């Protein structure tokens, strides 16, 4: 009886040591194959594990002349093809969502009816109000609102505590509310139209 046939007989009989040996013998090759198809380590690992699980599930149906390497290779290849199809479906769905979001943004913008001059005036007033903030408040506010930094990042970059960042933001927002109180109706119409 050849080595492969003995492996098949042992596998059919549920000898776990033979199963472990096959796992260690073929895992790397199958993982590399799956990774080449998918370029994703987690997906590749899952597909290979599923192939070995399937081999264990059907072990009783194996024939004496079964080629285990080819069988596992085929399972992994088919698993990869199915994963690629799933990824394409997800990508198409995500693209449809993005397209719909763009349509909604376009519709929303096209319905806005405020005057360009009012917007420019508001922008100028906001810039003036920000420039009139105390230096540290202005720096913290600009880093937060214009540059997108989080409070922890601002604190780290400016070498101050997060509480100090919060205090500067509170002071800045309070000053801006006072400075822009006359423009509140325009702000509301822009934000909630």
């Amino acid at each position: 009886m050849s080595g492969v046939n003995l492996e098949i007989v042992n596998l059919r009989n549920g000898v776990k040591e033979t199963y472990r040996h096959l796992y260690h013998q073929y895992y790397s090759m199958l993982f590399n194959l799956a990774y080449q198809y998918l370029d994703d380590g987690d997906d590749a690992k899952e597909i290979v594990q599923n192939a070995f699980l399937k081999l264990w599930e059907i072990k009783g149906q194996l024939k004496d002349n079964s080629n285990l390497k080819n069988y596992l290779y085929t399972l992994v290849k088919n698993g990869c093809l199915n994963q690629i199809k799933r990824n394409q479906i997800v990508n198409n769905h995500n693209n449809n969502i993005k397209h719909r979001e763009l349509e909604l943004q376009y519709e929303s913008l096209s319905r806005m009816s405020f005057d360009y001059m009012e917007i420019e005036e508001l922008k100028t007033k906001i810039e003036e109000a920000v420039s009139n903030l105390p230096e540290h408040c202005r720096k913290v506010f600009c880093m937060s609102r214009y540059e997108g930094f989080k409070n922890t990042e601002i604190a780290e970059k400016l070498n101050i505590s997060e509480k100090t960042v919060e205090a500067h933001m509170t002071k800045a927002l309070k000053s801006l509310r006072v400075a822009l109180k006359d423009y509140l109706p325009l702000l509301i119409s822009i934000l909630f139209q």
Side-chain angles (χ1 to χ4, degrees), residues 35-53:
Y35 189 79
Q36 282 180 334
Y37 274 109
L38 303 173
D39 197 29
D40 184 299
D42 291 337
D43 286 347
K45 184 178 177 183
E46 185 176 345
I47 284 168
V48 173
Q49 288 174 343
N50 286 341
F52 278 104
L53 185 62

Side-chain angles (χ1 to χ4, degrees), residues 27-40:
Y27 181 86
S28 291
M29 177 202 69
L30 294 170
F31 176 83
N32 289 334
L33 169 73
Y35 189 79
Q36 282 180 334
Y37 274 109
L38 303 173
D39 197 29
D40 184 299

Side-chain angles (χ1 to χ4, degrees), residues 92-108 111:
N92 287 341
H93 178 71
N94 288 342
N95 286 338
N96 287 340
I97 288 173
K98 285 179 188 168
H99 180 71
R100 185 66 189 133
E101 284 174 357
L102 287 174
E103 282 180 352
L104 289 173
Q105 288 171 348
Y106 177 81
E107 288 172 20
S108 176
R111 283 193 303 251

Side-chain angles (χ1 to χ4, degrees), residues 10-74:
N10 286 341
L11 200 55
R12 274 199 308 244
N13 291 327
V15 177
K16 290 182 180 173
E17 191 53 45
T18 301
Y19 181 74
R20 275 194 220 72
H21 171 73
L22 289 168
Y23 185 87
H24 292 297
Q25 183 178 0
Y26 295 122
Y27 181 86
S28 291
M29 177 202 69
L30 294 170
F31 176 83
N32 289 334
L33 169 73
Y35 189 79
Q36 282 180 334
Y37 274 109
L38 303 173
D39 197 29
D40 184 299
D42 291 337
D43 286 347
K45 184 178 177 183
E46 185 176 345
I47 284 168
V48 173
Q49 288 174 343
N50 286 341
F52 278 104
L53 185 62
K54 179 74 172 170
L55 175 64
W56 184 255
E57 288 171 356
I58 60 96
K59 64 186 181 298
Q61 302 165 26
L62 292 172
K63 298 187 177 12
D64 286 340
N65 63 350
S66 295
N67 184 326
L68 295 176
K69 181 179 177 182
N70 286 349
Y71 180 73
L72 287 167
Y73 176 89
T74 302

Side-chain angles (χ1 to χ4, degrees), residues 132-167:
N132 288 332
L133 290 172
E135 183 183 350
H136 293 298
C137 281
R138 184 174 61 249
K139 182 128 182 109
V140 168
F141 179 82
C142 290
M143 288 177 78
S144 173
R145 295 302 193 255
Y146 298 150
E147 298 172 36
F149 289 109
K150 295 181 179 140
N151 285 1
T152 51
E153 296 170 322
I154 296 169
E156 192 176 304
K157 286 186 180 298
L158 298 180
N159 200 22
I160 57 177
S161 72
E162 274 188 71
K163 288 224 180 279
T164 304
V165 171
E166 290 168 13

